[in-house]
Amino acid sequence: MDVTIPVLILAIPLFMFIFLGLFGGKMTHKLAGVLGTLGMGTVLVLAYTTAFQYFFSGAPEFINAAGERLQSVIFNQTWLAFTDKLVIRLGFLLDPISAMMLVVITTISFMVHLYSLGYMRDHHGVFERGFQRFYAFLSLFSFSMLGLVVATNIFQMYIFWELVGASSYLLIGFYYTKPSAVSASKKAFIVTRFADLGFLIGILILSFYTGTFNFTDLTSAPVEGMNGVYAVSEGTAESIRNIFETSAAPVFLGGSVLTWALVLIFMGGMGKSAMMPLHIWLPDAMEGPTPVSALIHAATMVVAGVYLVARLFPLYLMENVALEIITVVGALTAFYAAMVACTQVDIKRVLAFSTISQIAFMMVSLGVARPEHHEALGYMASMFHLFTHAMFKALLFLGAGALIHAIGSNDYTAMHGLRKYMPVTHWTFLIGCLAIAGIIPFSGFFSKDEILSACGEYDWLAYVWMSMVAGLTAFYMFRLYFLIFWWKEHKVADPHHVPHDQPWTMSLPLIILAAISCVAGFIPFGNLVSWNGEPYDFMAHFDWGVAAVSLTVAVVAIALAAVMYRKENKLPEKFKNALPALWRWSFHRFYWDELYMFITHKIIFNGICRPIAWFDRHIIDGTMDSFATITNKASELIRPLQSGQIQMYVWIYLIGALLLGGVTVLCLI
C-alpha cells in the first residue's frame, strides 16, 4: 500500500488542530466549524478507503492464500535508537483491529463534528464562546486516537495514549469558567495519570526482558518473502514467555515477571476504560459538552483499554493469571455500573455508567477467551461488541444532547412525554435502546450474545452473572426511555419554546447511527476480525439457546420497565421504599467518591502530608532559619569590632594571641 493515504489520515487532523488553534480566532465561528468538519470528513473517506483495501482488496500483504489476515507495516520511521533492538519508531500498522478502529474513530468523530455545528449554539443561533477552540481540540483528539490505534510499537502507543489523555482533559474542561467542569477535567487527568504510571512500568519491564517495543516482535512472525508483513504467531508469544521464565527473576511476590508486566499494562487500560476502582472520573467527565461525551466517553477513548489488551492478546493467552484478573475486574465493574445506572436521574450519567458496564462486557469477553475455551470466540465477540457499541452508544449520547438542547436540563425527570414533540429523536433513541438491550435484529443482540456464549463456554457462573448484567442493562435503558418519552404529558411552560427536533446537522448523525445500529449485526465480523487472522464464522457457531435465554431476559426487563415507568404510577416509589438502603447506596454510586475523598483528604493529606509539611516547615526550615538567625546575631555582635582604630585591632590581636597561646599550653600539659 502507498504511504500517502496513511500519512494523510494522521496529518490532516494534526494540521486542522494547528490551523484552527492559531488562526481560528481570526475567522468566523461557522467557517471554523465547517473547515473542521470538512477536514474530518476527508479523513473519514481516507480511513474507509484504507479499511476497504485491507479487508476486500485481496492484496497478498493483507491476506494470504489460506485466507488468514496479515499485519502490514505501512511505514515505520526510527525516532530513538538505544540499542540495535531497543528502538522507538513511529509508524502505521494495518491489521484487522486497527482497520476496524479507523472506521470506528473516523465515523464517530465525523458525526460529532457535524452534530456540533448545531449543538454548540443557543436557541437564538449564537455560537458558544470558544467554538473555534472546541473544533481545534476535537481535531487534536482525533489525531491522538488515530495515532494510538495504528501504533507499530507499544512506546508509540504510550505517547499517543498520553496525548489522548491531554486532549480529553482539554475537552472535558472546555467550559473552564464552570467550576464543576474544571474539577471533572482535573479528576479525569489525575486518575488516568495514576493508571498510566502502571502502564509505563509494565512497558519498561516488558521491554527490559524482551529488548523490543515492537508489537510484531512480541506477537508475530515475519511472512517469508514479504517485507514489512507479519502473521500473528503463538510461537512468538511462547518465546517471549520463555524469556521471562529463564530470566534471573522469574517470580516476584508469587507471580511471574511476565504476569506482573501484563497486569501493570492492563492497569493503564483500567484507567482509560474506567474499570473499578479507577472508574470514578468517567461520570464526572459528563460536565463536558455532550458531543465530547459521545466522542470520548462512548466510542473512542474509553475503548482504548480494550484495544490495548486485544493488541497484546497473544501474550495474555500465555498468562492465565492476567486473564483471570481481567475477567474478575470486568465482571465486578459491569454489575456495579449497571446497578448504579438504575437509580440515576441525570441522563448523561446514566449513559456514563452504561458505558462503564458495556466496556466491562468487552473486558470480560477477552478475559474468558482461553485456549481451552476457544479463544477465537471471546476475542471476536469483544471486538464485535466494541464496534456495535460505539455506534449505538454514540447515538444515545447524541440523542441525549438533542434532548438537553431542547429542554435545557440534564435531569430526565423534566423530559416527560417528548415523543410527539421530537419524533426523530424519539425513534432514533428507541433504536439505540433496543440495540443496547440486545433485541433482535439490532446490532447489540448479536455482539452481546456472542459474549454470553463465550462466558458460557468458560464457566456457568460467569454466564449467569453477565446475563444478569444484560437484564439490568435492558431495564435501566428502558426506564430512561419511558420516563423521557412517555410517563406523562410534557408541560410546556413557554409556548414560544416548545420542544422540537433539532436542525439537520444534529438530526442527520442520529439517523445515520440509527441505521448502522440496525444493520451492523449482520456484518460477517468473524471473517474480518479474529485474534490470529484466521476467519471465524460466528454465525455457524451461533448458540441460539443462549440467544433465546438472553432475549427472554431482555424482554422481561423491558416489560418490567414498561409496567413501572410507561405511565405515571406509584410502583417506582414503592420499589424505592422497599429497598431504601440499596437504592440510597446505588444512587450515591456506593460512595466511591466519598471513599476516595476520605483516603486522599483525611488519610493522605491530613494524616500523612500535613505532619510531613509541619516537620518540613518547623524542623527542617526552622533549623535552617535558626542557623541564619544565629549568623545574623553573631554578625551584629562583632560588627562594633570593625571600628577602624588601629589601637583596638592591636589589642584584639594581642588578646587573641594570648588566648590561643593559653589554649596551646593547656593542650600540651
Side-chain angles (χ1 to χ4, degrees):
M1 173 182 271
D2 186 67
V3 301
T4 305
I5 291 179
V7 168
L8 288 175
I9 289 174
L10 297 176
I12 291 175
L14 178 61
F15 171 78
M16 294 307 303
F17 162 67
I18 297 172
F19 181 76
L20 292 176
L22 293 176
F23 306 107
K26 300 179 181 179
M27 61 182 70
T28 64
H29 296 77
K30 188 175 183 179
L31 178 60
V34 170
L35 288 176
T37 305
L38 289 175
M40 199 64 237
T42 305
V43 177
L44 173 73
V45 173
L46 296 176
Y48 272 60
T49 301
T50 302
F52 185 86
Q53 288 182 352
Y54 179 81
F55 286 122
F56 304 112
S57 68
E61 65 267 28
F62 301 145
I63 189 169
N64 62 18
E68 298 172 345
R69 301 202 176 272
L70 306 173
Q71 297 177 324
S72 183
V73 179
I74 307 303
F75 64 87
N76 206 21
Q77 300 299 315
T78 299
W79 180 35
L80 295 172
F82 300 102
T83 66
D84 292 338
K85 284 189 173 182
L86 202 60
V87 179
I88 299 176
R89 296 184 174 90
L90 298 177
F92 194 104
L93 175 63
L94 194 58
D95 71 346
I97 57 173
S98 65
M100 176 200 68
M101 289 300 295
L102 287 178
V103 172
V104 170
I105 294 168
T106 55
T107 299
I108 305 303
S109 185
F110 177 71
M111 296 301 163
V112 167
H113 276 74
L114 180 61
Y115 182 91
S116 299
L117 290 174
Y119 183 85
M120 298 298 287
R121 61 173 78 186
D122 60 22
H123 292 287
H124 303 288
V126 179
F127 289 96
E128 291 198 25
R129 182 183 177 186
F131 184 80
Q132 301 95 324
R133 172 169 51 89
F134 177 75
Y135 269 83
F137 291 164
L138 285 181
S139 297
L140 176 63
F141 177 82
S142 300
F143 163 72
S144 306
M145 271 306 303
L146 290 168
L148 188 155
V149 299
V150 301
T152 58
N153 60 84
I154 197 168
F155 210 92
Q156 178 188 344
M157 177 181 280
Y158 183 77
I159 294 170
F160 283 96
W161 189 278
E162 295 300 317
L163 195 55
V164 164
S167 53
S168 172
Y169 167 81
L170 295 171
L171 286 167
I172 295 170
F174 174 75
Y175 298 123
Y176 60 86
T177 58
K178 187 178 177 183
S180 58
V182 175
S183 177
S185 64
K186 291 190 292 184
K187 187 176 185 179
F189 191 82
I190 293 170
V191 172
T192 53
R193 293 295 75 70
F194 178 78
D196 294 348
L197 175 61
F199 185 16
L200 179 60
I201 296 172
I203 292 173
L204 295 176
I205 294 173
L206 191 63
S207 62
F208 176 80
Y209 283 96
T210 62
T212 183
F213 293 117
N214 298 329
F215 290 126
T216 52
D217 294 337
L218 295 170
T219 62
S220 310
V223 176
E224 188 176 352
M226 301 186 72
N227 186 36
V229 180
Y230 302 83
V232 173
S233 171
E234 290 187 74
T236 301
E238 289 177 357
S239 66
I240 297 297
R241 182 181 62 181
N242 292 334
I243 291 174
F244 283 87
E245 289 180 347
T246 57
S247 66
V251 178
F252 178 70
L253 295 179
S256 71
V257 178
L258 179 59
T259 299
W260 277 101
L262 294 176
V263 169
L264 287 168
I265 289 172
F266 172 63
M267 181 178 172
M270 288 173 61
K272 276 289 190 290
S273 295
M275 297 290 100
M276 290 177 64
L278 302 175
H279 66 284
I280 59 170
W281 67 270
L282 184 59
D284 290 355
M286 298 301 111
E287 293 292 340
T290 303
V292 171
S293 302
L295 177 62
I296 296 179
H297 310 123
T300 53
M301 173 180 164
V302 289
V303 300
V306 180
Y307 181 83
L308 173 63
V309 176
R311 174 57 69 196
L312 294 172
F313 187 69
L315 291 182
Y316 280 97
L317 279 179
M318 300 295 110
E319 290 293 330
N320 278 351
V321 175
L323 288 178
E324 288 285 357
I325 292 173
I326 292 172
T327 304
V328 172
V329 170
L332 292 176
T333 303
F335 183 75
Y336 159 80
M339 284 281 293
V340 174
C342 290
T343 59
Q344 301 302 300
V345 296
D346 185 309
I347 185 173
K348 291 178 67 176
R349 279 176 168 74
V350 172
L351 296 178
F353 280 102
S354 173
T355 298
I356 295 173
S357 183
Q358 295 302 301
I359 298 297
F361 250 95
M362 305 171 203
M363 285 292 192
V364 169
S365 188
L366 288 172
V368 301
R370 312 292 175 82
E372 62 271 24
H373 302 299
H374 208 323
E375 69 274 16
L377 176 59
Y379 181 94
M380 185 278 302
S382 178
M383 296 297 100
F384 194 15
H385 199 57
L386 187 157
F387 179 82
T388 60
H389 173 265
M391 303 303 167
F392 60 67
K393 184 53 65 70
L395 166 63
L396 291 168
F397 265 110
L398 295 182
L403 293 165
I404 294 169
H405 202 262
I407 302 300
S409 173
N410 288 21
D411 189 342
Y412 62 78
T413 59
M415 301 178 182
H416 303 316
L418 292 178
R419 67 188 186 279
K420 72 176 185 178
Y421 296 100
M422 305 176 68
V424 174
T425 306
H426 167 235
W427 286 109
T428 54
F429 200 91
L430 176 59
I431 290 172
C433 290
L434 291 169
I436 195 172
I439 301 299
I440 192 169
F442 301 96
S443 59
F445 167 79
F446 297 96
S447 58
K448 187 176 291 185
D449 278 10
E450 290 299 311
I451 293 177
L452 294 177
S453 295
C455 291
E457 288 190 2
Y458 171 69
D459 185 73
W460 70 268
L461 181 61
Y463 169 72
V464 173
W465 184 272
M466 298 311 295
S467 295
M468 183 170 54
V469 175
L472 288 173
T473 302
F475 175 78
Y476 68 68
M477 285 307 306
F478 276 86
R479 171 181 180 264
L480 181 71
Y481 165 75
F482 286 122
L483 282 173
I484 292 174
F485 295 103
W486 293 80
W487 191 244
K488 59 184 178 182
E489 185 69 22
H490 182 77
K491 295 181 181 180
V492 181
D494 187 353
H496 298 289
H497 294 285
V498 178
H500 56 86
D501 280 318
Q502 303 305 314
W504 73 269
T505 55
M506 295 176 65
S507 297
L508 182 60
L510 298 179
I511 296 170
I512 294 174
L513 291 171
I516 296 174
S517 299
C518 291
V519 302
F522 298 98
I523 297 174
F525 199 84
N527 294 329
L528 304 176
V529 179
S530 62
W531 80 274
N532 58 0
E534 297 178 3
Y536 179 79
D537 187 0
F538 77 91
M539 289 304 299
H541 299 84
F542 194 83
D543 193 332
W544 288 102
V546 172
V549 173
S550 67
L551 189 60
T552 302
V553 171
V555 171
V556 170
I558 294 171
L560 179 61
V563 170
M564 294 179 66
Y565 300 104
R566 187 174 180 272
K567 295 181 179 180
E568 189 174 4
N569 62 82
K570 295 182 179 181
L571 283 177
E573 193 66 24
K574 289 182 178 179
F575 178 79
K576 177 182 174 181
N577 294 332
L579 300 167
L582 179 61
W583 191 93
R584 184 174 63 255
W585 277 69
S586 181
F587 181 77
H588 291 285
R589 314 175 193 178
F590 290 87
Y591 297 97
W592 271 100
D593 287 85
E594 287 78 6
L595 176 62
Y596 270 93
M597 292 295 290
F598 176 79
I599 293 173
T600 54
H601 285 72
K602 298 294 185 181
I603 298 178
I604 298 177
F605 293 161
N606 293 338
I608 300 175
C609 295
R610 193 180 294 275
I612 293 174
W614 182 92
F615 183 85
D616 179 69
R617 184 168 56 254
H618 292 89
I619 305 301
I620 305 299
D621 288 351
T623 302
M624 296 299 104
D625 292 344
S626 298
F627 288 152
T629 301
I630 293 171
T631 303
N632 288 332
K633 294 294 184 182
S635 66
E636 291 177 358
L637 291 174
I638 66 175
R639 187 183 301 163
L641 299 176
Q642 299 293 328
S643 62
Q645 298 179 3
I646 302 297
Q647 298 91 331
M648 182 176 291
Y649 294 160
V650 172
W651 278 108
I652 292 172
Y653 175 78
L654 291 174
I655 293 170
L658 289 173
L659 289 173
L660 182 62
V663 171
T664 304
V665 171
L666 290 174
C667 291
L668 292 174
I669 293 174

